PDB file of all heavy atoms in Angstrom:
ATOM      1  N   ALA A 145      52.798  74.747  75.766  1.00 96.00           N
ATOM      2  CA  ALA A 145      51.912  75.927  75.488  1.00 96.00           C
ATOM      3  C   ALA A 145      51.758  76.323  74.106  1.00 96.00           C
ATOM      4  O   ALA A 145      51.224  77.324  73.753  1.00 96.00           O
ATOM      5  CB  ALA A 145      52.573  77.261  76.219  1.00 96.00           C
ATOM      6  N   SER A 146      51.952  75.262  73.189  1.00 97.00           N
ATOM      7  CA  SER A 146      51.765  75.593  71.894  1.00 97.00           C
ATOM      8  C   SER A 146      50.325  75.511  71.391  1.00 97.00           C
ATOM      9  O   SER A 146      49.965  75.805  70.214  1.00 97.00           O
ATOM     10  CB  SER A 146      52.478  74.573  70.963  1.00 97.00           C
ATOM     11  OG  SER A 146      51.994  73.223  71.083  1.00 97.00           O
ATOM     12  N   LYS A 147      49.464  75.111  72.275  1.00 98.00           N
ATOM     13  CA  LYS A 147      47.937  75.059  71.917  1.00 98.00           C
ATOM     14  C   LYS A 147      47.276  76.265  72.689  1.00 98.00           C
ATOM     15  O   LYS A 147      46.085  76.269  72.737  1.00 98.00           O
ATOM     16  CB  LYS A 147      47.405  73.751  72.348  1.00 98.00           C
ATOM     17  CG  LYS A 147      48.121  72.534  72.009  1.00 98.00           C
ATOM     18  CD  LYS A 147      48.317  72.358  70.600  1.00 98.00           C
ATOM     19  CE  LYS A 147      49.157  71.208  70.256  1.00 98.00           C
ATOM     20  NZ  LYS A 147      49.597  71.157  68.781  1.00 98.00           N
ATOM     21  N   ASP A 148      47.984  77.088  73.295  1.00 98.00           N
ATOM     22  CA  ASP A 148      47.425  78.427  73.756  1.00 98.00           C
ATOM     23  C   ASP A 148      47.322  79.381  72.550  1.00 98.00           C
ATOM     24  O   ASP A 148      48.049  79.256  71.578  1.00 98.00           O
ATOM     25  CB  ASP A 148      48.340  79.129  74.668  1.00 98.00           C
ATOM     26  CG  ASP A 148      48.395  78.303  75.937  1.00 98.00           C
ATOM     27  OD1 ASP A 148      47.622  77.304  76.215  1.00 98.00           O
ATOM     28  OD2 ASP A 148      49.547  78.432  76.730  1.00 98.00           O
ATOM     29  N   MET A 149      46.417  80.257  72.671  1.00 98.00           N
ATOM     30  CA  MET A 149      46.312  81.262  71.623  1.00 98.00           C
ATOM     31  C   MET A 149      47.645  82.156  71.670  1.00 98.00           C
ATOM     32  O   MET A 149      48.070  82.509  72.758  1.00 98.00           O
ATOM     33  CB  MET A 149      45.123  82.275  71.818  1.00 98.00           C
ATOM     34  CG  MET A 149      43.848  81.701  71.335  1.00 98.00           C
ATOM     35  SD  MET A 149      42.376  82.813  71.738  1.00 98.00           S
ATOM     36  CE  MET A 149      42.497  83.991  70.472  1.00 98.00           C
ATOM     37  N   LYS A 150      48.183  82.424  70.490  1.00 98.00           N
ATOM     38  CA  LYS A 150      49.532  82.936  70.487  1.00 98.00           C
ATOM     39  C   LYS A 150      49.371  84.540  70.421  1.00 98.00           C
ATOM     40  O   LYS A 150      48.381  85.005  69.961  1.00 98.00           O
ATOM     41  CB  LYS A 150      50.247  82.593  69.202  1.00 98.00           C
ATOM     42  CG  LYS A 150      51.616  82.762  69.164  1.00 98.00           C
ATOM     43  CD  LYS A 150      52.331  82.178  67.933  1.00 98.00           C
ATOM     44  CE  LYS A 150      53.656  82.613  67.731  1.00 98.00           C
ATOM     45  NZ  LYS A 150      54.330  81.989  66.556  1.00 98.00           N
ATOM     46  N   ALA A 151      50.258  85.144  71.228  1.00 98.00           N
ATOM     47  CA  ALA A 151      50.152  86.589  71.469  1.00 98.00           C
ATOM     48  C   ALA A 151      51.493  87.201  70.621  1.00 98.00           C
ATOM     49  O   ALA A 151      52.444  86.495  70.463  1.00 98.00           O
ATOM     50  CB  ALA A 151      50.421  87.000  72.839  1.00 98.00           C
ATOM     51  N   VAL A 152      51.203  88.415  70.018  1.00 98.00           N
ATOM     52  CA  VAL A 152      52.256  89.020  69.316  1.00 98.00           C
ATOM     53  C   VAL A 152      53.195  89.466  70.575  1.00 98.00           C
ATOM     54  O   VAL A 152      52.924  89.920  71.602  1.00 98.00           O
ATOM     55  CB  VAL A 152      51.743  90.466  68.890  1.00 98.00           C
ATOM     56  CG1 VAL A 152      52.838  91.205  67.988  1.00 98.00           C
ATOM     57  CG2 VAL A 152      50.589  90.277  67.834  1.00 98.00           C
ATOM     58  N   GLN A 153      54.497  89.010  70.305  1.00 98.00           N
ATOM     59  CA  GLN A 153      55.550  89.106  71.270  1.00 98.00           C
ATOM     60  C   GLN A 153      55.857  90.582  71.687  1.00 98.00           C
ATOM     61  O   GLN A 153      56.121  90.855  72.840  1.00 98.00           O
ATOM     62  CB  GLN A 153      56.818  88.511  70.931  1.00 98.00           C
ATOM     63  CG  GLN A 153      56.768  86.858  71.058  1.00 98.00           C
ATOM     64  CD  GLN A 153      58.102  86.288  71.061  1.00 98.00           C
ATOM     65  OE1 GLN A 153      59.102  86.809  71.538  1.00 98.00           O
ATOM     66  NE2 GLN A 153      58.263  85.214  70.303  1.00 98.00           N
ATOM     67  N   ARG A 154      55.933  91.414  70.726  1.00 98.00           N
ATOM     68  CA  ARG A 154      56.429  92.750  70.980  1.00 98.00           C
ATOM     69  C   ARG A 154      55.178  93.609  70.962  1.00 98.00           C
ATOM     70  O   ARG A 154      54.532  93.847  69.921  1.00 98.00           O
ATOM     71  CB  ARG A 154      57.412  93.305  69.931  1.00 98.00           C
ATOM     72  CG  ARG A 154      58.587  92.430  69.828  1.00 98.00           C
ATOM     73  CD  ARG A 154      59.532  92.529  71.047  1.00 98.00           C
ATOM     74  NE  ARG A 154      59.851  93.817  71.505  1.00 98.00           N
ATOM     75  CZ  ARG A 154      60.947  94.530  70.954  1.00 98.00           C
ATOM     76  NH1 ARG A 154      61.742  93.958  70.087  1.00 98.00           N
ATOM     77  NH2 ARG A 154      61.142  95.766  71.360  1.00 98.00           N
ATOM     78  N   ILE A 155      54.768  94.122  72.108  1.00 98.00           N
ATOM     79  CA  ILE A 155      53.572  95.125  72.274  1.00 98.00           C
ATOM     80  C   ILE A 155      54.069  96.109  73.305  1.00 98.00           C
ATOM     81  O   ILE A 155      54.521  95.880  74.391  1.00 98.00           O
ATOM     82  CB  ILE A 155      52.314  94.406  72.633  1.00 98.00           C
ATOM     83  CG1 ILE A 155      51.183  95.489  72.800  1.00 98.00           C
ATOM     84  CG2 ILE A 155      52.397  93.531  73.826  1.00 98.00           C
ATOM     85  CD1 ILE A 155      49.722  94.822  72.812  1.00 98.00           C
ATOM     86  N   GLU A 156      54.200  97.337  72.773  1.00 98.00           N
ATOM     87  CA  GLU A 156      54.604  98.445  73.785  1.00 98.00           C
ATOM     88  C   GLU A 156      53.734  99.720  73.581  1.00 98.00           C
ATOM     89  O   GLU A 156      53.091  99.859  72.508  1.00 98.00           O
ATOM     90  CB  GLU A 156      56.080  98.745  73.494  1.00 98.00           C
ATOM     91  CG  GLU A 156      57.032  97.588  73.838  1.00 98.00           C
ATOM     92  CD  GLU A 156      58.472  97.707  73.221  1.00 98.00           C
ATOM     93  OE1 GLU A 156      58.949  98.865  73.127  1.00 98.00           O
ATOM     94  OE2 GLU A 156      59.098  96.659  73.266  1.00 98.00           O
ATOM     95  N   SER A 157      53.747 100.565  74.517  1.00 98.00           N
ATOM     96  CA  SER A 157      52.985 101.756  74.420  1.00 98.00           C
ATOM     97  C   SER A 157      53.686 103.099  74.733  1.00 98.00           C
ATOM     98  O   SER A 157      54.615 103.144  75.428  1.00 98.00           O
ATOM     99  CB  SER A 157      51.632 101.592  75.146  1.00 98.00           C
ATOM    100  OG  SER A 157      51.881 101.751  76.523  1.00 98.00           O
ATOM    101  N   TYR A 158      53.094 104.011  74.124  1.00 98.00           N
ATOM    102  CA  TYR A 158      53.700 105.473  74.549  1.00 98.00           C
ATOM    103  C   TYR A 158      52.539 106.295  74.827  1.00 98.00           C
ATOM    104  O   TYR A 158      51.735 106.632  73.780  1.00 98.00           O
ATOM    105  CB  TYR A 158      54.675 106.004  73.472  1.00 98.00           C
ATOM    106  CG  TYR A 158      55.209 107.218  73.698  1.00 98.00           C
ATOM    107  CD1 TYR A 158      56.341 107.369  74.700  1.00 98.00           C
ATOM    108  CD2 TYR A 158      54.705 108.405  73.314  1.00 98.00           C
ATOM    109  CE1 TYR A 158      56.874 108.577  75.131  1.00 98.00           C
ATOM    110  CE2 TYR A 158      55.372 109.700  73.685  1.00 98.00           C
ATOM    111  CZ  TYR A 158      56.252 109.703  74.635  1.00 98.00           C
ATOM    112  OH  TYR A 158      56.872 110.980  74.993  1.00 98.00           O
TER     113      TYR A 158
END
Side-chain angles (χ1 to χ4, degrees):
Chain A
S146 68
K147 313 300 174 189
D148 295 337
M149 282 176 81
K150 195 170 173 178
V152 183
Q153 276 195 45
R154 302 293 303 276
I155 177 166
E156 291 169 25
S157 74
Y158 184 75

